[in-house]
Amino acid sequence: VMSRKPNSGKVKKSYLARVHGKFPTTKEEVSAVELQIPTPNQQGTLDKEGLEYVKRTKVREPGVYVDSSLDVNEDKKTAYVSMIVSYPLRCASKRKGEWECGIDKGKPSMSRFRALSHDEKTNTSLVLAEPLTGRTHQLRLHLSAAGFPIVNDPNYGKDGNISRDRVEAEMKRQKTARNNHNDNDEEKEKSPVGDDEICLCKSICRFCNNGGPSAAFNENQLRWIGMDLHAFRYQLETADGRKYDFQTPLPSFARTLELKCLNVLSNIT
């Protein structure tokens, strides 16, 4: 059942994401958002399948829209509007598993986001994210295109690919060490033979060097290397009308949510 597509109307998925910047909370702020997409990607047309999909599902034209359908609070003082981002997505690299926003040969995609809180110290926002279609990486791409990339996103965030950067830095360090200490037997033992990336990865891997996952992973490492994107709630209805609601505990980056924000999450329908 969980493999059914969200756009079938039978499954609704809700995620929590920590993004860079102050996420829009008013209609005026949402209206001022401009998608950051290269000009060439804005050209072209959807294929026949894409056009039929838009007609069938009523996916909006590419752009940013204000949506007030999630206003569940009783007092208007804490009302946060939602932002809908609609833009086609297409595969940019099958080898790397990366996608991009692009109209030509793109698949219609639409997501809805709502700000929950903002941390002035880190200038990050906690956002409720809902994929209204079921495209690969669509939440990550739509948030990045809107100017609010997910914290620690290795593909579409502003931090870059942290794991790759770490390997490249280690490669450079060890190459320098070998050049400076060719006559040092002890240093040669510490350095892997050649510039083989697998050997280099193993040389900096705590799992390989210290004998297991307990040495390799802790919460700080997971928060740094992993994305701050969390599958929070799945709601589904089976073909025979039975309804299910699955909810996970809040991730560490969202445990300081205020009560009013928790009320918003509990009233998602």
Side-chain angles (χ1 to χ4, degrees), residues 16-205:
L16 293 175
R18 189 163 68 103
V19 303
H20 291 284
K22 187 178 186 301
F23 204 80
T25 59
T26 65
K27 294 181 179 180
E28 293 74 18
E29 291 176 347
V30 171
S31 300
V33 173
E34 295 183 3
L35 295 181
Q36 303 171 13
I37 298 173
T39 301
N41 291 18
Q42 302 175 28
Q43 302 170 350
T45 58
L46 297 174
D47 57 21
K48 183 179 179 180
E49 180 182 354
L51 293 173
E52 291 177 352
Y53 181 88
V54 170
K55 184 177 181 180
R56 184 175 69 253
T57 61
K58 297 181 180 180
V59 171
R60 300 189 184 187
E61 292 292 322
V64 178
Y65 302 89
V66 176
D67 178 41
S68 302
S69 62
L70 288 183
D71 286 339
V72 295
N73 58 296
E74 296 180 356
D75 59 342
K76 299 297 181 180
K77 296 180 180 179
T78 57
Y80 279 5
V81 301
S82 298
M83 179 175 76
I84 287 181
V85 176
S86 180
Y87 213 90
L89 305 179
R90 64 192 181 196
C91 183
S93 172
K94 291 184 178 180
R95 184 177 65 84
K96 296 181 180 179
E98 293 180 348
W99 289 63
E100 66 180 358
C101 292
I103 293 179
D104 190 42
K105 298 182 180 180
K107 295 184 179 297
S109 309
M110 192 162 69
S111 307
R112 178 165 52 196
F113 307 101
R114 167 186 258 207
L116 295 174
S117 65
H118 176 248
D119 186 345
E120 294 183 358
K121 185 176 180 180
T122 59
N123 191 27
T124 57
S125 299
L126 188 63
V127 175
L128 172 65
E130 296 178 286
L132 302 181
T133 55
R135 307 303 183 193
T136 303
H137 297 178
Q138 74 170 65
L139 295 177
R140 299 164 62 187
L141 280 161
H142 284 166
L143 282 168
S144 181
F148 304 96
I150 296 176
V151 175
N152 292 331
D153 188 329
N155 297 98
Y156 316 112
K158 72 176 187 178
D159 298 323
N161 191 318
I162 300 169
S163 299
R164 183 187 62 210
D165 291 345
R166 186 171 173 229
V167 170
E168 290 178 350
E170 181 66 11
M171 288 176 66
K172 186 178 296 186
R173 185 195 70 79
Q174 293 196 13
K175 185 176 181 180
T176 301
R178 285 194 300 275
N179 291 337
N180 294 338
H181 303 281
N182 285 331
D183 297 328
N184 190 322
D185 293 336
E186 182 179 352
E187 186 65 30
K188 287 182 180 180
E189 291 180 1
K190 292 182 179 179
S191 299
V193 178
D195 287 337
D196 182 79
E197 187 171 329
I198 296 178
C199 292
L200 290 169
C201 288
K202 288 183 177 181
S203 72
I204 60 174
C205 176

